[in-house]
Amino acid sequence: MPEIYSVLPRNSPSFNFAISFTAALRPQPRANAKLWKFKLQYLLYRLYSTKSAPDFYSTASSKASCKMESFDNIYLDLSRQPGKCKIAESGLGWRPAGGGDTFTLDSSNVGAAQWSRAAKGYELKILSRSSGVIQLDGFDQEDFDRLSKAFKIWYGINVENKEHALRGWNWGKAEFTKAELAFNVQNRPAFEIPYSEVSNTNLAGKNEVAVEFALTADGLNAKQPAGSTKNRGRKAAAGPDELVEMRFYIPGTVMKKEKGAEDENEEEEEGEEQNAANLFYETLMDKAEIGYVAGDTFATFLDVLHLTPRGRFDIDMYESSFRLRGKTYDYKIQYASIKKFFLLPKNDDTHTLIVLGLDPPLRQGQTRYPFLVMQLKLDEEISLELNMTEELLETRYKDKLEPRYEEPIHQVITKIFRGLSGKKVIMPSKDFVSHHGHSGVKCSIKANEGLLYFLDKSLIFVPKPATYVQIENISVITMSRVGGAVSASRTFDITVTLKGGMGEHQFSNINREEQQPLEEFFKAKNIRFKNEMADDASALIAAALDNDDMDTSDEDGGRADRGSADEDEESVDEDFEAESESEVAEEYDSAHESSGGSDDEMEDASEEEEEASEEEERPKKKSKVGK
């Protein structure tokens, strides 16, 4: 108990009470730990509850304070449920009313504070020194005096009272602050966008910049500090509806000053003229740390062709994520977002496809790409050394990665992706081989041609639209022809009907030679299928017999008159004699030579033909008969 004496003032009521109480405790056996613990807790309770408690608090800790401001029904960062907010000299905290994780912020981390109207009343926005923006919404107007006094006394910060622009204008001035992008109208903020909510930005046009907001899957980054740029999408995911993209139109040019040594004649120096939209884009990329990844790049692959989304991207691979760098778009994708990994050889025996299934999907404007499809050449080899220490390679990635690779590029990318992400590589099933010995079947979804691959547990169509179907969800597969024409016998369609009314997928224009391999695969995987082409065989034979009957009836002269429809049919012109040159050539080709003799002979022949025709057309005169 000597530590208690050291924090109590001499001859105070608390000091005298502690001496008398500990004296009563000394005769008790010290082996009874539970009894000692109970008596010590009782002593501390009496010390806290006695009328002379203030002298204990003031001397026990110079940093502690008995005062605390408490507020109920406060929402933290657009949370779904309210909580209780407490502000003390050591910092502030928030706990949800229904129970859950508590948020705390140390007083040394409070940088600035703003007070303004918000959705649920009044909002206290705290700009922290390291964690970004913290929003506390739900205060009453009368709480401003208490908050401003507490922040002034305990943190030495003046709470700034800000009024938002309410004109509804969609043009103004963008201001990049430390933690957020503010859109000001007449020097008043219309709205603010925290950098932590921006996932990507790109140049949508010459003077247009698109800003995409983060969509974080459930449970992802849940342990990151509030407002951190590593916790993207947490605030946006709190509401049922969320804004996913915003576009800014920024016309004109601006003068960009290069960072360097300051000269005496700064006014005379002219900065580089740059498109205003490009400067906005570069500034936002830097502020929001888009594409920034902590740590070194383990491997880089340049100019890799992607079929979905279309374009060429450089791939930078890091410890927990990889980055796609293109001319227009730039993405950072976590390895945790990769749900499926496929390696699919193409039928041309020249290329292979690497397909990544992503959840959440990749977004490019309003288009979502749940699958990332790369196309690589089989004969393209690469020599690569991983930028990784031997210690890290031996401890974390032992038997997963190698220090050096010298083999085809598609195998190198596959092995590194598998080592860093830990995902299993899925390849085509050995139970299916097409008629020509390939793993994929050429077909189409509507007007989009592609390859349909049959895997052990699923079917996948690539490249566009990438379609993935699990075998366990298939109810029945129907094989049928398009229409009843005889020409349709060369190809057929398969319709995959899913269980539970989940819809169906139709794959068209499959070569008739693939029918038997497909049926064998369906039998091997116990997939129920129905062949409607056998039912159509009799109809096709009947259609062929009808065509034969029509031909014989035409020969017998029994063909019905179809009017102008007969004019469309092609027939052989017996009077036509094919020549090497056309009439156009005779008219315009000076080197053309006629095969019928000289011009004089042609003229004589034409005159004789005209006289003969006149005699034939001249009617015979009737003889007069007298009465």
Side-chain angles (χ1 to χ4, degrees):
M1 304 297 290
E3 62 274 8
I4 297 181
Y5 299 143
S6 61
V7 299
L8 297 177
R10 295 285 180 176
N11 299 325
S12 65
S14 300
F15 182 81
N16 296 332
F17 178 80
I19 292 178
S20 60
F21 194 83
T22 51
L25 292 176
R26 283 173 184 169
Q28 303 296 331
R30 303 194 65 173
N32 194 342
K34 292 184 178 180
L35 179 63
W36 271 88
K37 183 178 181 181
F38 170 77
K39 292 181 177 180
L40 181 59
Q41 289 176 349
Y42 179 73
L43 170 63
L44 294 176
Y45 168 76
R46 289 293 305 273
L47 289 173
Y48 274 79
S49 60
T50 184
K51 294 182 179 180
S52 59
D55 65 353
F56 174 76
Y57 290 120
S58 59
T59 55
S61 176
S62 59
K63 295 183 179 179
S65 174
C66 63
K67 293 183 179 180
M68 179 181 295
E69 297 289 351
S70 180
F71 305 91
D72 294 326
N73 296 324
I74 304 300
Y75 294 82
L76 172 68
D77 290 337
L78 308 179
S79 59
R80 288 188 174 90
Q81 57 177 328
K84 189 169 187 178
C85 177
K86 294 184 179 181
I87 301 176
E89 186 177 359
S90 59
L92 60 91
W94 179 86
R95 177 186 290 275
D101 295 335
T102 302
F103 168 77
T104 58
L105 183 67
D106 191 74
S107 60
S108 61
N109 201 14
V110 180
Q114 298 176 0
W115 175 269
S116 62
R117 287 295 300 268
K120 297 179 174 64
Y122 285 82
E123 176 189 75
L124 177 66
K125 180 187 295 184
I126 301 174
L127 306 178
S128 65
R129 302 183 188 275
S130 61
S131 302
V133 180
I134 295 95
Q135 294 172 283
L136 296 167
D137 190 6
F139 292 97
D140 296 328
Q141 188 175 5
E142 295 78 13
D143 297 334
F144 176 73
D145 294 335
R146 296 166 57 194
L147 285 170
S148 59
K149 186 180 295 184
F151 271 74
K152 180 65 176 178
I153 296 175
W154 291 333
Y155 311 141
I157 294 175
N158 293 322
V159 179
E160 183 182 2
N161 193 347
K162 274 200 169 186
E163 295 183 4
H164 284 83
L166 304 177
R167 289 184 174 270
W169 292 358
N170 64 337
W171 66 91
K173 184 179 181 180
E175 180 183 358
F176 291 94
T177 63
K178 181 181 178 181
E180 59 186 3
L181 168 63
F183 186 82
N184 299 327
V185 176
Q186 292 186 337
N187 297 325
R188 289 185 177 182
F191 59 86
E192 301 94 356
I193 303 175
Y195 298 139
S196 59
E197 300 301 308
V198 179
S199 66
N200 192 28
T201 180
N202 55 74
L203 291 169
K206 182 179 179 182
N207 298 318
E208 192 173 8
V209 179
V211 180
E212 298 179 5
F213 302 114
L215 296 177
T216 304
D218 295 338
L220 190 62
N221 296 334
K223 298 182 179 181
Q224 296 293 343
S228 171
T229 54
K230 298 180 181 179
N231 197 11
R232 300 180 187 274
R234 179 179 50 80
K235 295 182 181 180
D241 300 319
E242 49 193 293
L243 182 66
V244 297
E245 186 185 68
M246 181 181 292
R247 296 201 175 195
F248 295 91
Y249 177 75
I250 310 168
T253 58
V254 293
M255 303 300 294
K256 180 183 178 181
K257 295 182 179 180
E258 297 181 358
K259 296 181 181 180
E262 296 182 357
D263 298 334
E264 297 179 358
N265 301 328
E266 292 182 354
E267 298 179 357
E268 299 179 359
E269 294 183 358
E270 294 183 358
E272 181 184 357
E273 188 176 17
Q274 187 179 7
N275 191 319
N278 289 343
L279 182 60
F280 182 94
Y281 165 75
E282 293 175 359
T283 306
L284 184 59
M285 287 279 291
D286 180 56
K287 291 286 187 178
E289 298 180 355
I290 298 173
Y292 171 77
V293 182
D296 298 329
T297 307
F298 290 161
T300 300
F301 302 95
L302 301 177
D303 204 28
V304 178
L305 177 61
H306 287 66
L307 303 181
T308 306
R310 190 74 180 180
R312 291 186 176 271
F313 295 88
D314 296 340
I315 304 176
D316 296 332
M317 309 192 74
Y318 298 88
E319 183 176 0
S320 60
S321 64
F322 68 98
R323 180 183 176 188
L324 298 180
R325 291 184 289 110
K327 294 182 179 179
T328 306
Y329 295 94
D330 196 328
Y331 301 99
K332 187 178 72 173
I333 304 172
Q334 300 289 331
Y335 293 132
S337 300
I338 302 176
K339 304 305 179 183
K340 300 290 182 181
F341 192 100
F342 304 93
L343 182 63
L344 309 173
K346 291 192 72 174
N347 290 357
D348 56 5
D349 296 329
T350 306
H351 300 88
T352 188
L353 300 176
I354 294 178
V355 183
L356 304 180
L358 304 178
D359 187 22
L362 195 68
R363 259 197 2 258
Q364 194 177 87
Q366 296 182 356
T367 308
R368 293 193 175 193
Y369 296 100
F371 290 92
L372 191 69
V373 183
M374 312 177 197
Q375 179 173 291
L376 302 165
K377 293 183 178 180
L378 292 173
D379 57 354
E380 182 180 354
E381 294 192 357
I382 187 175
S383 179
L384 176 69
E385 290 187 5
L386 288 183
N387 184 23
M388 187 183 298
T389 60
E390 295 182 1
E391 181 181 359
L392 182 62
L393 191 63
E394 291 294 330
T395 55
R396 184 176 300 180
Y397 300 107
K398 187 177 182 180
D399 299 331
K400 296 181 179 179
L401 295 174
E402 300 176 6
R404 180 179 177 84
Y405 294 91
E406 190 170 353
E407 48 191 320
I409 185 172
H410 70 277
Q411 295 184 6
V412 177
I413 294 179
T414 301
K415 291 180 179 179
I416 295 180
F417 261 109
R418 180 177 58 188
L420 294 176
S421 64
K423 301 298 179 181
K424 179 184 177 181
V425 179
I426 303 175
M427 301 185 69
S429 175
K430 297 180 180 179
D431 294 332
F432 176 80
V433 179
S434 70
H435 178 74
H436 299 284
H438 298 136
S439 301
V441 173
K442 187 177 180 181
C443 61
S444 60
I445 295 180
K446 295 182 179 179
N448 302 305
E449 292 187 356
L451 293 172
L452 179 62
Y453 292 91
F454 298 86
L455 315 176
D456 287 329
K457 297 182 179 180
S458 59
L459 314 178
I460 185 170
F461 175 87
V462 287
K464 184 180 179 182
T467 305
Y468 177 75
V469 182
Q470 289 185 331
I471 292 179
E472 61 181 9
N473 295 331
I474 297 177
S475 175
V476 63
I477 295 180
T478 305
M479 308 171 71
S480 61
R481 287 191 181 93
V482 181
V486 179
S487 59
S489 60
R490 298 178 181 177
T491 61
F492 67 96
D493 301 350
I494 62 173
T495 303
V496 180
T497 305
L498 303 180
K499 297 178 180 177
M502 298 172 61
E504 62 181 21
H505 301 280
Q506 185 174 10
F507 305 98
S508 308
N509 301 325
I510 302 175
N511 196 319
R512 180 63 184 269
E513 297 173 344
E514 308 296 348
Q515 177 184 351
Q516 183 177 356
L518 289 179
E519 291 181 352
E520 293 177 355
F521 176 79
F522 296 154
K523 293 178 182 178
K525 298 299 180 182
N526 296 323
I527 302 175
R528 191 163 63 94
F529 69 94
K530 181 171 59 174
N531 188 353
E532 293 183 351
M533 291 185 292
D535 301 335
D536 297 338
S538 58
L540 292 173
I541 295 174
L545 294 176
D546 291 340
N547 291 335
D548 294 339
D549 294 341
M550 293 293 291
D551 294 339
T552 56
S553 64
D554 293 343
E555 294 174 358
D556 296 338
R559 182 176 180 181
D561 186 9
R562 297 189 299 154
S564 61
D566 294 333
E567 298 177 0
D568 297 335
E569 294 185 356
E570 295 182 358
S571 60
V572 179
D573 189 357
E574 297 178 356
D575 297 334
F576 175 76
E577 295 181 0
E579 298 181 357
S580 59
E581 300 293 340
S582 64
E583 294 180 358
V584 178
E586 293 179 9
E587 182 177 356
Y588 295 100
D589 191 357
S590 59
H592 173 72
E593 295 181 359
S594 175
S595 61
S598 63
D599 296 339
D600 297 336
E601 293 177 354
M602 294 294 292
E603 292 177 359
D604 296 338
S606 61
E607 290 177 358
E608 294 175 358
E609 290 177 358
E610 289 176 0
E611 292 177 357
S613 61
E614 288 178 0
E615 293 178 357
E616 292 177 358
E617 294 176 359
R618 187 179 303 164
K620 297 181 179 180
K621 294 182 180 180
K622 294 183 180 180
S623 60
K624 295 181 180 180
V625 179
K627 292 184 180 178

